[in-house]
Amino acid sequence: MSEMEYWKLQHMAGKISRREFVGRSAALGASTAAIAAMVASVEAHADETPKKGGTLKAGIGGGSTTDSLNPASYTDSVALFAGFALYNGLVENGPDNKLIPELAETFEAKPGATDWVFNLRKGVTFTNGKTFDADDAIYSLNLHRGDTKSGAAGPMKAVSDVKKLGPNQIQVSLSSPDADFAYVLSDYHMLMVPNGFTDWANPVGTGAFKLNKYDPGVRVSLLKNPNFWKKDRGYLDGLEATVINDSSARINALVSGQVDVINRVDPKAIALLKKSPNLQIVQAAGGYHSIITMMIDRPPFDNADIRQALKHAIDREQILKAMFSGYGSVGNDHPIPKSDPYFNTELPQTKYDPEKAKFYFKKAGLTDPSIVLQASDAAFSGAVDMATLFQASASKADIKIDVKKESADGFWENVWLKGAFVTSYWGGRPAATQMFGVAYKSDAPWNETHWNRPAFDKLLADARSELDEAKRKKYIWAMQEMVHNEGGSLIPAFRDWLDAHNNKVGGHTPHFGFDLDNGRLAEKAWLKS
């Protein structure tokens, strides 16, 4: 968490005044517009008293007909949002990037950080009436180990054993030390289900809701779980989430009153929405970044000069301004955001330089000068437009990029991880080691650039096991430098999370982790009327 985000949370908690918050933000270099947005976001949620009842209507981008309610399969916002409504994890990542006990009431690492003990919460029941226990936790964790396509399989490869210490206590053993391992269990895939459960069309969880109806890629209908165990959450009687992948359609649905809340607000529409006294923007800086992936083991991207040419052929400032209206920051071809305490501040920024791009492209000696970029707004709203901007900026370096527009439906199953040059996005991760582990470790299932460097894997292992902050920083900085210099990630910009809701919605607060309050809005929100 950045220092600015820290002071924002202090203001939200009432620990510092509005004047002090504004002063500290200005001292940290925040623009007047950014400070105003943060103040509005904080003060919009002041003096709210939760109320019970009502059905929240959400319009959510990031859904597909191929979606499932199996947590191992989640790839985008709709499934993630439904998952956190139906299930709980062992731990939750809070708005200050500190872990909050969830179904694990307490947890700690033994000396050496290779064995972690989790003391499970007693008296929690699933929606089928079964009481949550150690066997359920072990089964749920093991769903992401071994022969699995789970999105959490990468970070879970480090787990050598999960064993039962008692009816409500388990121990997770790692093949090597990892001081950040508990953050892995806050991931949206790592949700708890009953021992032996496989009927994903009829989910059974401990969450605030139970399933009423699910039509993948169309809508999710949920009803209140009367036995939900969290006393300070779960206020709604129901939730109706409609999949609206088109950005303009989402905004129209909110403005017209068809829905109460939306995600992925088009930054270009922010000024218009702010003119309405009945609507509020929820903005949070974080690790969300657009990315154009180059598989470095496939031609022509196996040529380092081609990768350098393309990195210098993209106008990052233009993309940040044109696509995100400045709501974010310029990227530098590694996935660690400026808000992360381990962000490498000494790494030179790659800038748009057509002449340098032209030099590297000519040096590569590519016989077929045309490169196909597969783009879809399934990745994020405006991904196709970003690809078109890249096409135009690259043309000034005499690099021809053909943009192939892919269908949003089925993009994650049919194009992502299959195409060699593809638009994508990442929501970021709470720990730098986790982000690198899930997408850049050589054997990570979601290693979309096919990055494979033993030296990088060793740096990651060293960073995970190191408890000394200075030494840890050295390893994480080196990983950023390596990916920046040699990798296949072309990251033009980090984008702020932008949600919006009408004035009926309470409890919708910003979170750096993901949109819709890190996916947990369903259990946190209430309706004021």
Side-chain angles (χ1 to χ4, degrees), residues 53-370:
T55 298
L56 180 71
K57 295 177 292 182
I60 309 179
S64 170
T65 56
T66 57
D67 284 347
S68 163
L69 293 176
N70 177 356
S73 71
Y74 296 167
T75 57
D76 215 342
S77 295
V78 175
L80 183 157
F81 180 73
F84 276 131
L86 295 164
Y87 312 105
N88 298 124
L90 293 180
V91 294
E92 172 187 347
N93 193 27
D96 57 354
N97 201 20
K98 293 182 180 179
L99 294 176
I100 300 171
E102 198 168 16
L103 288 177
E105 195 165 28
T106 63
F107 53 93
E108 64 177 353
K110 291 183 178 180
T114 54
D115 292 319
W116 287 75
V117 176
F118 296 84
N119 297 302
L120 308 179
R121 199 174 296 274
K122 300 176 182 178
V124 177
T125 58
F126 289 99
T127 49
N128 66 355
K130 183 189 181 303
T131 300
F132 172 70
D133 61 23
D135 293 327
D136 304 316
I138 292 171
Y139 172 78
S140 299
L141 295 180
N142 283 337
L143 289 172
H144 311 281
R145 300 180 60 211
D147 185 16
T148 176
K149 295 181 179 180
S150 169
M156 288 295 285
K157 283 184 180 292
V159 176
S160 59
D161 188 32
V162 183
K163 67 180 180 181
K164 182 177 179 179
L165 300 181
N168 299 100
Q169 188 181 62
I170 64 170
Q171 177 174 295
V172 179
S173 297
L174 309 178
S175 56
S176 58
D178 188 353
D180 288 330
F181 175 71
Y183 279 101
V184 171
L185 302 190
S186 71
D187 184 87
Y188 53 83
H189 300 94
M190 308 299 295
L191 303 174
M192 299 292 107
V193 296
N195 183 21
F197 184 80
T198 57
D199 187 8
W200 305 113
N202 299 286
V204 173
T206 61
F209 296 89
K210 53 186 179 181
L211 184 66
N212 180 38
K213 185 177 180 181
Y214 181 47
D215 191 355
V218 181
R219 74 180 184 116
V220 183
S221 176
L222 305 174
L223 297 174
K224 183 182 182 70
N225 173 10
N227 298 316
F228 185 48
W229 57 278
K230 295 183 184 180
K231 303 303 180 186
D232 60 344
R233 297 186 187 180
Y235 303 105
L236 299 168
D237 287 337
L239 188 145
E240 296 289 333
T242 302
V243 179
I244 310 177
N245 286 324
D246 182 78
S247 177
S248 296
R250 275 197 308 278
I251 291 173
N252 290 336
L254 177 67
V255 172
S256 66
Q258 296 176 52
V259 300
D260 302 310
V261 61
I262 62 173
N263 68 338
R264 301 186 181 184
V265 177
D266 185 342
K268 294 188 284 291
I270 293 290
L272 178 63
L273 294 178
K274 284 183 175 180
K275 292 180 180 179
S276 172
N278 300 316
L279 301 177
Q280 295 178 10
I281 304 297
V282 179
Q283 176 186 356
Y288 178 108
H289 54 276
S290 57
I291 181 172
I292 298 172
T293 62
M294 300 176 279
M295 290 186 175
I296 64 173
D297 58 350
R298 291 194 197 176
F301 310 107
D302 55 348
N303 187 317
D305 290 322
I306 288 291
R307 300 198 297 273
Q308 285 298 320
L310 292 171
K311 289 177 181 181
H312 285 94
I314 192 164
D315 191 336
R316 301 160 198 267
E317 295 285 356
Q318 180 192 39
I319 287 174
L320 178 62
K321 183 178 179 180
M323 299 303 309
F324 307 136
S325 298
Y327 287 95
S329 60
V330 168
N332 202 21
D333 303 331
H334 66 77
I336 309 305
K338 292 179 179 178
S339 58
D340 192 285
Y342 293 107
F343 175 76
N344 188 336
T345 58
E346 296 179 0
L347 199 59
Q349 174 66 53
T350 299
K351 296 181 179 180
Y352 178 49
D353 189 333
E355 290 304 314
K356 189 172 287 187
K358 188 183 297 185
F359 166 79
Y360 281 112
F361 196 75
K362 184 177 180 180
K363 182 182 176 186
L366 192 64
T367 54
D368 181 0
S370 179

Side-chain angles (χ1 to χ4, degrees), residues 468-488:
D468 182 277
E469 291 294 321
K471 293 180 180 178
R472 204 158 194 256
K473 174 182 175 180
K474 179 181 177 181
Y475 298 138
I476 296 174
W477 276 37
M479 284 189 284
Q480 292 171 68
E481 182 177 9
M482 188 179 291
V483 171
H484 165 85
N485 290 339
E486 305 172 29

